[in-house]
């Protein structure tokens, strides 16, 4: 074998997967067709569970450029250009990390290189074939064609994925061909910005809060003053003829006038900052028919795309984290039965929910008086904390719960592990500090360390931490077994777990980590 895993695509998703594989001791080779990172602006940050996930890998401060752990948004967010009042919730699940995709890619590339991943730029996958033992990739590089043989191949090569097409995996979905979106970095007169709220106050229309799109009968308008960058102004319209040639600021000004019924004076950004000027027609919401074809897997946009909702990188990076440790176990021939199949079983439903969210929001922002009336009804529903909680969890992806195969499981089983502040013999530690190595983790907060004693025979394959919670009143769990992706494989709330609970712990370790089967009661 030339390498363990070939990753096709060196964007954030492929680089995140490379990091996960290197943490597990596996050799990835990243093939990126572009010789240099693209300057085309794409994502403007990370949203939802993925923010907590990058914190769990020690990457949050590097991405955010600020010290300290992530903090949830407890003010407001958006749902279909309607305000989602997060202050109604006792605890908001929505975390946001403003950062350009270029910066995210740079941080992940540096991290992958630090870990020893091989990244080849200017190398393009042409074709591949797989047999019972490996995948042989045909690659076109700067010095000509060559072949690479690996145990597995992963397509992280975007919505037009060559990997997906060559695998024969269908990509059904919906194309929105009625919309035209325009975006530009601009400067606006300082007197138009409300110093108290940061809103753009448009005479003849009213205030437009930052990051909260406004929908009218003619389209949507948004004003996004990202930190350290010129404000981003965007419009979306329906059924408008598309001009020929590149977009201009005058074209955007005219679009704003049609959408808001008022003029907004803006100019190009000052200095050498970014000057995005982009027009996009239509959009797609699509979901691959399956995420696996033998030894070939799909992650990120190769597996799913959504026209709205801001969920792309949230889903994609979590695909990488879910798949990485499973591939590593398979490369080491240490994967329990069904582990690789669980990737599709877990991540495809999560992507399906985000596709549903995208289509629902597209329907609620479409033109028409009937949609306007539907939005009025939704505005009433959004005054209910239960509705806000459900939509916030869906948007964040925090409602995802994997099936861990255990009957009558603890409420945390299958969910992303909660944040914990712990007191260990070595001092205070956050759970996120214990998961940076991507190893399975057993947290034992029981009175007698009974959970930790069950790890005999596991040969150190699980990191075991016996601790006490910093705030016992804030913690309702006494023991947690975390998979490398930080999802809970087993949990207990008993001060002293009984025999059945401890057998369930060992069963979970066997099912997900390939560790020894549970001992029989008679052997205790």
């Amino acid at each position: 074998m030339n390498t363990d895993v070939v990753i096709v695509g060196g964007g954030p998703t492929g680089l995140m997967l490379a990091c996960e594989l290197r943490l597990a001791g596996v050799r990835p080779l990243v093939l990126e067709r572009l010789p240099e990172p693209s300057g085309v602006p794409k994502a403007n940050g990370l949203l939802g569970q993925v923010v907590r996930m990058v914190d769990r890998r020690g990457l949050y401060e590097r991405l955010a450029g600020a010290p300290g752990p992530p903090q949830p948004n407890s003010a407001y967010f958006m749902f279909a250009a309607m305000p989602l009042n997060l202050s109604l919730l006792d605890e908001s699940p929505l975390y946001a990390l403003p950062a350009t995709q270029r910066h995210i890619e740079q941080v992940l590339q540096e991290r992958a290189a630090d870990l020893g991943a091989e990244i080849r730029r200017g190398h393009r996958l042409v074709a591949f074939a797989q047999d019972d033992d490996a995948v042989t990739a045909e690659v076109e590089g700067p010095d000509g064609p060559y072949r690479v043989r690996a145990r597995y191949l992963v397509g992280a090569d975007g919505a037009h994925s060559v990997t997906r097409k060559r695998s024969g995996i269908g990509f059904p979905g919906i194309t929105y061909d009625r919309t035209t979106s325009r975006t530009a970095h601009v400067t606006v007169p300082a007197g138009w910005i409300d110093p108290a709220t940061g809103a753009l106050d448009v005479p003849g229309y009213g205030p437009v809060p930052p990051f909260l799109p406004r929908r009218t009968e003619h389209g949507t308008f948004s004003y996004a003053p990202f930190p350290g960058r010129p404000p981003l102004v965007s419009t979306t319209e329906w059924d408008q003829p598309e001009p020929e040639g590149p977009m201009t600021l005058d074209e955007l000004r005219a679009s704003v006038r049609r959408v808001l019924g008022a003029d907004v004076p803006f100019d190009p950004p000052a200095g050498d900052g970014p000057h995005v000027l982009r027009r996009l027609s239509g959009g797609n919401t699509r979901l691959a028919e399956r995420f696996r074809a033998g030894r070939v897997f799909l992650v990120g946009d190769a597996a799913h795309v959504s026209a709205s909702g801001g969920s792309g990188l949230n889903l994609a990076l979590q695909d990488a984290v879910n798949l990485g440790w499973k591939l590593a176990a398979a490369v080491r021939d240490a994967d329990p039965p069904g582990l690789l199949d669980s990737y599709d079983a877990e991540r495809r439903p999560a992507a399906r929910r985000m596709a549903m969210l995208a289509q629902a929001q597209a329907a609620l922002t479409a033109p028409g008086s009937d949609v306007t009336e539907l939005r009025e009804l939704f505005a009433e529903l959004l005054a209910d904390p239960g509705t806000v909680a459900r939509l916030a969890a869906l948007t964040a992806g925090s409602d995802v719960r994997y099936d861990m195969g255990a009957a009558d499981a603890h409420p945390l089983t299958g969910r992303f592990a909660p944040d914990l502040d712990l007191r260990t013999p070595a001092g205070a530690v956050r759970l996120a500090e214990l998961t940076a190595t991507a190893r399975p983790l057993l947290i034992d907060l029981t009175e007698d360390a009974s959970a930790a004693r069950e790890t005999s025979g596991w040969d150190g394959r699980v990191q075991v931490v016996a601790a006490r919670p910093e705030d016992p009143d804030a913690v309702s769990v006494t023991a947690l077994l975390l998979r490398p992706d930080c999802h809970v494989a087993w949990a207990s709330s008993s001060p002293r777990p009984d025999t059945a609970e401890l057998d369930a712990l060992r069963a979970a370790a066997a099912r997900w980590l390939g560790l020894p089967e549970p001992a029989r009661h008679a052997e205790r």
Side-chain angles (χ1 to χ4, degrees), residues 38-383:
S38 171
V40 176
K42 295 180 181 178
N44 285 304
L46 303 180
L47 173 70
Q49 285 291 86
V50 73
V51 178
R52 300 173 70 197
M53 188 65 243
V54 297
D55 182 44
R56 300 278 172 95
R57 290 295 187 261
L59 293 168
Y60 177 77
E61 291 188 359
R62 291 173 66 176
L63 288 166
Q71 300 298 321
N73 176 356
S74 297
Y76 68 82
F77 195 65
M78 57 185 175
F79 174 76
M82 290 182 283
L84 202 60
N85 185 359
L86 302 173
S87 68
L88 296 176
L89 307 181
D90 293 333
E91 184 175 348
S92 170
L94 271 172
Y95 292 74
L97 196 168
T100 64
Q101 181 157 328
R102 179 118 185 218
H103 176 61
I104 295 168
E105 187 173 323
Q106 179 183 355
V107 169
L108 291 176
Q109 179 168 310
E110 291 171 354
R111 175 63 169 158
D114 289 345
L115 292 170
E118 183 179 0
I119 302 169
R120 297 180 185 175
R121 287 198 164 272
H123 293 248
R124 178 175 62 92
L125 176 72
V126 176
F128 61 83
Q130 56 178 311
D131 53 40
D132 291 341
D133 300 316
V135 181
T136 301
E138 305 281 348
V139 183
E140 183 71 39
D143 298 324
Y146 64 95
R147 290 181 176 179
V148 176
R149 191 161 169 82
R151 291 282 298 275
Y152 298 96
L153 184 144
V154 180
D157 44 349
H160 302 288
S161 170
V162 171
T163 307
R164 186 189 64 245
K165 294 172 182 176
R166 293 283 183 176
S167 299
I169 298 175
F171 202 38
I174 294 176
T175 296
Y176 305 93
D177 55 7
R178 297 178 56 193
T179 62
T180 301
S181 299
R182 297 174 175 87
T183 301
H185 281 294
V186 301
T187 57
V188 297
W192 285 53
I193 308 301
D194 186 324
T197 65
L200 178 67
D201 198 358
V202 181
Y205 176 80
V208 179
F211 305 106
L212 184 60
R214 289 303 204 202
R215 182 247 183 210
T216 72
E217 289 289 342
H218 306 286
T220 62
F221 170 84
S222 68
Y223 165 73
F226 289 100
R229 287 180 276 166
L232 201 65
V233 166
S234 303
T235 64
T236 298
E237 295 182 87
W238 300 278
D239 303 322
Q240 282 287 328
E242 183 175 332
E244 295 183 0
M247 196 187 97
T248 65
L249 278 182
D250 281 340
E251 179 185 332
L252 180 60
R253 291 185 185 101
S255 178
V256 172
R257 187 182 307 115
R258 289 191 296 268
V259 171
L260 295 183
D263 288 311
V264 177
F266 49 75
D267 293 303
D272 297 326
H275 188 180
V276 176
L277 202 61
R278 183 176 58 182
R279 181 201 307 127
L280 295 174
S281 296
N284 292 280
T285 295
R286 298 187 176 276
L287 179 65
E289 291 175 338
R290 61 190 189 279
F291 287 7
R292 179 187 185 186
R295 291 181 172 273
V296 178
F297 295 81
L298 303 178
V299 294
D301 285 356
H304 45 74
V305 293
S306 297
S308 61
S311 61
L313 275 181
N314 184 11
L315 276 176
L317 297 185
Q318 290 188 90
D319 290 347
V321 173
N322 185 286
L323 180 60
W325 67 278
K326 296 173 182 179
L327 278 181
V331 167
R332 295 192 304 266
D333 295 319
D335 54 319
L339 185 65
L340 284 181
D341 285 335
S342 73
Y343 169 67
D344 182 280
E346 292 179 348
R347 293 308 299 162
R348 194 170 182 279
R352 173 67 190 89
R353 284 186 65 75
M354 285 301 177
M356 173 192 71
L357 176 66
Q359 290 179 237
Q361 293 191 85
L364 282 165
T365 54
S369 59
D370 53 345
V371 175
T372 300
E373 296 303 314
L374 181 60
R375 290 174 62 83
E376 185 174 341
L377 172 61
F378 253 83
E380 294 181 13
L381 297 176
L382 291 179

Side-chain angles (χ1 to χ4, degrees), residues 491-514:
S492 172
S493 291
S494 303
R496 294 171 178 262
D498 60 22
T499 298
E501 286 185 284
L502 296 176
D503 276 349
L505 165 60
R506 295 178 69 90
R511 179 185 179 99
W512 295 107
L513 308 175

